[in-house]
Amino acid sequence: MAGETDLSILLKSLKPSLNEGSYVFLTLKDIQQISRSAILFEFKEREGITIILEKEKADALKLKYEFVASWITLNVHSALDAVGLTAAVSTALTKQNISCNVVAAYYHDHIFVATKDTQKAMEVLGEFSGK
């Protein structure tokens, strides 16, 4: 099933949902010590491997991190070649002084915001569909 590309439909259909827990971004040179099942996201950069995982798992492994986030899933099936969704969401959050980190997966976009901004971010994202 192909994802949606029409920006107006995407925005009206965001259906943001808050995933339980707190999540952290960190970077390592080697991730062999971490169970693959614990890793939510992984991206290889020249400087190291960036991963996102649950804060409690990072704490248990005594891993250092700087950013603790809430994870919001946009439950609309957006196409990977859809134009404007990330820009519209990040612009709306920027107007409320909320930083966001976006991860696009095959079916959905995922927004990570500082835990202190969680409720406001959910309100802002809900406004797209009139909620």
Side-chain angles (χ1 to χ4, degrees), residues 48-63:
I49 302 168
T50 297
I51 61 172
I52 302 172
L53 67 157
E54 292 175 7
K55 179 183 176 297
E56 67 182 32
K57 290 180 181 176
D59 290 341
L61 292 167
K62 297 183 180 3
L63 298 170

Side-chain angles (χ1 to χ4, degrees), residues 13-34:
S13 307
L14 281 185
K15 297 183 202 152
S17 63
L18 180 62
N19 296 281
E20 287 188 36
S22 295
Y23 299 84
V24 296
F25 286 64
L26 53 105
T27 184
L28 301 166
K29 294 292 182 193
D30 179 18
I31 60 170
Q32 298 303 314
Q33 71 197 44
I34 302 170

